[in-house]
Every structure is written in C-alpha cells, then in structure tokens.
Amino acid sequence: MGSCKTCCQNIPTRYIIMAMIFFTTFINYTTRTNMSVSLPAMVLSGTTSQVAECETDEVKSSTNTTTKSKSEEVTGTKYEWNQAVQGLILGAYFYGYLMCSLPGGLVAEWVGPYLTIILATALSGVLNSLGVWLTSLHWGALFGTRFFIGACGAFIYPALQCVVGRWAPPQERSKFLACLMGNNLGTCWTWMVGGIVTQYYKWPWGFHVMSFQIVIFCIVFGLLMFDSPEQHPWITDEELKYIKESQEGTVSRTKSIPPYKAIFKSFAFWTLCVLHFGNLWGLYVQITAVPKFMKEYIGFDIKNSGILSSLPHLVRVFMGLGFGFLGDYLKRQFRRILIIKSFIVLSHIIPGILLGIIGLAKCNTTVVVTLLTLSMSINGATVVTNLAIPTDLSPNFAGTIFGIISFIGGTTGFIVPSQFQNNSIAWRTVFALGGIMYCSCGLFFILFGTADIQPWNEKRRTEEES
C-alpha cells in the first residue's frame, strides 16, 4: 500500500478514481459481450443459419470448405442449438441484468460502491469460467451462468453513478462520465482478442482469458479505490476541500431510503427514462447484432468478424473522452440544459439516422463498417446526455435513478436478439427500428426534458417522508 501511495503522490486522487471507473466498465463489458464472439464457435454450422446471402467468390475463396472444417475442429466442442436457443443464450445476460437493476442503486448507496463493484465483478469472473464446464450438461446450465453474470453486472453502473456523485466536482462531471467509455474498449478488446483466442485455442479459453483479467482487476481496484474523498488515505487537504466546496452541499454522506414515490411522480425522471431507453435499444442492436450480422449475412469468419466489429467501439472510446472534455468546457460557458439538448443531436439523432440506413448498404462491407463506426462513435456524446443526467437530477440518488432507468431500458437487451433472423428483410428491420428508437426518444427529451437538480435530492426530506 505504501508503494502505491508513493507512485500516485503527484497524481490528483480523483484522476485515479476516473481510471478505476474506466477499467471497471472495461472489465464489465468483457463478460457482457464475450458470448457474442463465442457462440458462433460453439454451435454446428448447420444449426446457425443457411449460407450467408452476401457470400461472394472472394469470400468463398478465403473461407472455403476445407478452412471451415478446420475451423470447426479447432474451436472446440459443437452443440446443436437452433436459433431460438441461441437467442435465449444471448439474451440470458440481459434477463439477469433486468432482474437486479432496480435494487442495484439502493445496494450501492447503502453498502458503498467499493464493495458492490468488487464483489459483483469477482463473482461474475467465477461464473464466467464455471459456465465452460457446465455447458456440456445442458444449454440451460450456460443460460443460468449467463443470467447470474448479468445479475452481477446490474450492480456495476448504479454503483459507478454513486462514485461520480461522491467524487466528481460538478464542473468535471462529464470527464468522469467519459470514463464510462471503458466499456467500448472492453467490447473492442473482447471481439478482437476473444475472437483470436477462440479461433486458435478453442472457445473455452475465450471465457477463461476474460476471467483471468478479472482477477488482475480486482487486485488493482482493491488497492486504489475508496468510496468517498473523505475515506481516501492519499488525498491532499487541498483536493478534498476543492471537491467538497464545488459540490456545494448537494452531496450527503447520510444513508437514506431513496424517495421512490417522488422519483416516480417526477416528469423530469421519466423524460430521462425515455432518453436512456432509446439509447440502449440502439446500442444493443450494435453490441449483439453486429457479430452475427457480419458472420451470417455478410459471410466473414469469427476472427474477421471480431476485428471489424470492434472498430466502431474503438473509435467511440476516443470520441467519448473528447465529448466529455468538450461538454465540461461548454457547460461553463452556456446553460447546462442547452448543452445537453444540443449534444442529444450527437448522441441520439445522428447515430439513429446512420444506424437506420445500414440495411440499404446490403452486401457492401466497406459501407456497413463505415456507417457502424460513425454511428457508434458519435453516440459517445451520451457522456454529456443520458449518462450525465442522473447525477444532474440528484447527486445523492444517482445510483437509484440509474438502476431504475437501466431496469426499464434493459428490456431492450432481450427484445433486440429476439428479432434476429438470417434474411435481408429481417436485418433491415433490426437496424431501421434501432434508428427510429434512437431518434424518437432523443426528440422527446429535447422537447420536454430537464437537467435541473430535483427537490427530492435532499436526504433530510426523504427521511421525513419515510
């Protein structure tokens, strides 16, 4: 511990917390998205789909029958799972996520984000590798492990909202939230590394590599993370004073039951809920649909699919970080709500248009990848919009708010996979509907939404009501 303190002496403590937020979301998404890469390698080719509609002579020459047979041999044991079973397995994470999203914020606010994050992450690592051995029993066993991994994941983002509420000076809040873009690097890493490991070392190692990462993360997180500035042993008096004074008494350390009645009666909350729902719909289309679309419709093998599909997420990391810094700067110059609504054009409207027209590209791989990259990267502006608004509305109950909107928005995690069918009309519908949800929910918030701090943020009033 002493050596860690010495190494970090010259780094503001809140920047270390930002790094922990980044790597928390990175690790969370490695176990959230690895099934999209692993599943095609786990099923017999005949049960996945018919021949890819976009398969050309060029694709055939690079993925001929001999190569496919070899690939099926080296990627591990195959299972005869039809499309319905595959859809259930892909959706299992989101069923668990949905189940535990509601209590996620309350647990983090009472237990503390430190324990919430480290315990949920460690358990998801154990379940991730356990699923490898249980899969041979029945696909339902794999479904069960994915379900409980999703349940663990449901606690992560509400806990991180608590971290932002406690640690972030309001003028730096977008920078803190930009660190949530670690999830995109996690997705990118999983699709590239997971695909390569699965291709050459069989699909079980695609799971085990992710679990090993979790062990390393938990050690580092356990040493560097603390629940609040007051508890951190390395923070300077100057930095502690800066954080507390900038928050101007809006953040209370007193434990209190969230004012659920006031939250559900709040129109400001419901406009945020609509905004977040639309974003998750579009986001899950890209997270879960892209690997299958690239492999089964365009005709790329798992290795190529992983690399190409990761590109939008890689660009989104840098765009999200840039939007975070830009958002903090602009909020100091103009009205906060004006900046937020302007950024919704970037986080929802433009990505929705780009996502919606992907189906028109048909078999043009270059156009598809370009549209996906632009749509996903520009959507990084969410660090200024729906990811930031929970803390704007209520720094004290940001975790609870985020848990509720994640519960409602999380339904898209299994609605989207249920649309998958391997024909051109179905894929156009998936992308078009994702674009419509992006745009309509964004427009709704532009017309009716607010980011003013709400009266029910005051814990004293909450305790009196309860």
Side-chain angles (χ1 to χ4, degrees), residues 34 37-38 41 71 74-75 187-207 209-210 301-308 310:
N34 67 333
V37 174
S38 299
S71 175
V74 301
T75 56
T187 300
C188 176
W189 175 264
T190 302
W191 286 355
M192 287 193 295
V193 175
I196 293 171
V197 170
T198 298
Q199 183 79 7
Y200 294 107
Y201 298 99
K202 300 186 179 181
W203 62 259
W205 282 104
F207 288 85
V209 166
M210 304 305 159
D301 65 21
I302 187 172
K303 182 179 177 181
N304 290 330
S305 176
I307 293 172
L308 288 175
S310 68

Side-chain angles (χ1 to χ4, degrees), residues 119-154:
L119 291 177
T121 303
L123 182 56
S124 67
V126 173
L127 290 167
N128 187 57
S129 285
L130 185 62
V132 172
W133 294 300
L134 293 179
T135 298
S136 60
L137 300 178
H138 190 269
W139 68 263
L142 178 60
F143 177 94
T145 59
R146 294 296 299 172
F147 177 92
F148 287 110
I149 291 172
C152 292

Side-chain angles (χ1 to χ4, degrees), residues 8 11-28 117 160 163-164 167 175-183 185 217 220-221 224-226 232 234 321 325:
C8 301
I11 303 175
T13 306
R14 64 188 186 280
Y15 291 174
I16 298 173
I17 302 304
M18 288 184 191
M20 290 299 96
I21 293 173
F22 184 91
F23 286 108
T24 298
T25 59
F26 173 94
I27 289 295
N28 174 255
I117 292 170
L160 290 175
V163 173
V164 174
W167 275 93
K175 295 188 189 72
F176 269 79
L177 290 162
C179 294
L180 297 176
M181 291 298 102
N183 58 11
L185 187 60
F217 166 80
V220 176
F221 185 90
L224 300 181
M225 184 68 186
F226 289 84
H232 207 295
W234 312 338
L321 293 172
F325 281 86

Side-chain angles (χ1 to χ4, degrees), residues 296-442:
E296 297 177 12
Y297 182 73
I298 293 182
F300 284 93
D301 65 21
I302 187 172
K303 182 179 177 181
N304 290 330
S305 176
I307 293 172
L308 288 175
S309 299
S310 68
L311 182 60
H313 298 268
L314 182 60
V315 179
R316 189 173 188 252
V317 174
F318 298 102
M319 293 291 285
L321 293 172
F323 284 134
F325 281 86
L326 179 60
D328 278 339
Y329 171 77
L330 292 176
K331 285 177 182 177
R332 292 195 294 269
Q333 312 299 320
F334 305 97
R335 289 181 58 206
R336 176 180 296 271
I337 189 60
L338 177 63
I339 299 306
I340 290 173
K341 291 187 176 182
S342 298
F343 268 73
I344 287 174
V345 176
L346 297 172
S347 67
H348 285 68
I349 307 302
I350 295 177
I353 294 172
L354 294 171
L355 183 62
I357 62 177
I358 282 177
L360 302 179
K362 297 184 178 179
C363 299
N364 192 320
T365 306
T366 302
V367 173
V368 171
V369 173
T370 300
L371 289 172
L372 284 170
T373 301
L374 289 173
S375 177
M376 195 76 175
S377 59
I378 296 173
N379 176 252
T382 55
V383 302
V384 185
T385 61
N386 54 289
L387 294 180
I389 297 171
T391 314
D392 289 331
L393 297 180
S394 177
N396 283 325
F397 300 109
T400 293
I401 294 172
F402 198 83
I404 298 171
I405 65 174
S406 293
F407 172 79
I408 296 172
T411 58
T412 62
F414 56 87
I415 293 174
V416 169
S418 70
Q419 304 172 65
F420 295 168
Q421 294 181 40
N422 199 42
N423 61 75
S424 58
I425 295 176
W427 283 118
R428 288 194 198 106
T429 301
V430 169
F431 291 123
L433 188 56
I436 290 170
M437 295 304 295
Y438 256 143
C439 293
S440 60
C441 294

Side-chain angles (χ1 to χ4, degrees), residues 248-263:
E248 297 177 345
T250 59
V251 179
S252 171
R253 312 302 178 205
T254 304
K255 292 182 179 180
S256 177
I257 299 296
Y260 289 109
K261 183 178 179 181
I263 291 174

Side-chain angles (χ1 to χ4, degrees), residues 49-55 60 68 296-297 422:
S49 65
Q50 59 266 45
V51 177
E53 292 190 24
C54 291
E55 193 169 29
K60 289 176 182 177
K68 289 180 181 178
E296 297 177 12
Y297 182 73
N422 199 42

